[in-house]
Amino acid sequence: MKRHAPATARNSEPLAKILDQELPGTGLVLEVASGSGEHAVFMARHFPRLTWQPSDLDGRALDSVAAWREEAGLANLCEPFVLDAASDRWPIESADALLCVNMIHISQWDATEGLFRNATHLLPPGAPLIVYGPFFEDEVETAPSNNAFDADLRRRNPEWGLRNVDRVDALGVSSGFARTARHEMPANNLTLVYRKP
């Protein structure tokens, strides 16, 4: 059954403009935490020379991705598979880029640790690990809407919440990555890009 995420419709085009700059021209993009599947369809259509591999941990999300995929009928959009970001065993051997949209703040920190840990093995040198979402930055005043969102997330689960960019950067460094780009996005979000030397 197809699900619809209003934020996906709003951010797909701005995100695609950033991905135009950051993704390789060809190869396989692993999307971690694909959610409704709308991004996967939009990006697979926008990047016909890339193979798009969606994934998610939630069964309802996977069903939605599969429904969107079937409707779209895109040859470069793969069947979604189950992926637990925190796991040490991902069901894929390699990728040419890794994209994770709106997962880091609505998952436990070990999911972010797993994201970087597995990306270390999956991605060749220079390939991008791209994360999108709302973050805290020490040197940037936080938008009131992001503060309210963070408080709401922590009420729902104390282990959720907006992460500090410095903490994500430090995790990247310990995993062998350096942040190579910071893109400001609509609705007080950021796209952060990490690459291995």
Side-chain angles (χ1 to χ4, degrees):
M1 181 178 184
K2 288 193 304 183
R3 300 165 77 181
H4 177 62
T8 302
R10 292 193 299 269
N11 66 30
S12 289
E13 192 167 330
L15 180 57
K17 289 180 180 178
I18 299 302
L19 297 182
D20 275 329
Q21 304 171 39
E22 302 290 354
L23 289 178
T26 60
L28 186 143
V29 179
L30 171 61
E31 183 183 12
V32 176
S34 297
S36 68
E38 293 163 284
H39 270 146
V41 169
F42 185 96
M43 298 306 172
R45 187 173 284 127
H46 187 84
F47 297 99
R49 297 180 63 201
L50 288 168
T51 299
W52 208 268
Q53 176 60 67
S55 69
D56 209 284
L57 179 60
D58 181 79
R60 291 171 300 175
L62 291 169
D63 289 344
S64 179
V65 176
W68 280 105
R69 173 179 178 265
E70 182 177 357
E71 180 183 85
L74 298 168
N76 64 327
L77 180 56
C78 301
E79 184 176 348
F81 56 58
V82 178
L83 189 150
D84 178 357
S87 171
D88 284 329
R89 287 184 169 273
W90 283 14
I92 185 170
E93 296 296 323
S94 64
D96 299 290
L98 200 158
L99 174 67
C100 184
V101 177
N102 285 331
M103 181 199 80
I104 291 179
H105 58 286
I106 50 174
S107 60
Q108 297 180 181
W109 180 245
D110 64 352
T112 304
E113 292 175 327
L115 182 72
F116 278 87
R117 183 174 62 248
N118 284 281
T120 300
H121 307 297
L122 289 176
L123 297 176
L129 164 55
I130 303 168
V131 297
Y132 170 98
F135 294 90
F136 289 132
E137 294 180 284
D138 289 340
E139 66 278 14
V140 178
E141 184 177 355
T142 303
S145 59
N146 276 1
N147 280 324
F149 186 36
D150 178 66
D152 179 63
L153 289 170
R154 293 181 189 279
R155 276 194 297 271
R156 291 160 58 189
N157 186 326
E159 296 193 55
W160 292 2
L162 275 64
R163 312 301 183 183
N164 191 289
V165 169
D166 288 346
R167 188 182 185 193
V168 181
D169 286 352
L171 176 60
V173 169
S174 69
S175 304
F177 288 86
R179 177 156 59 87
T180 58
R182 170 193 176 277
H183 301 280
E184 294 187 9
M185 306 298 293
N188 303 305
N189 290 300
L190 296 174
T191 297
L192 305 175
V193 183
Y194 298 86
R195 298 177 190 267
K196 289 190 297 183

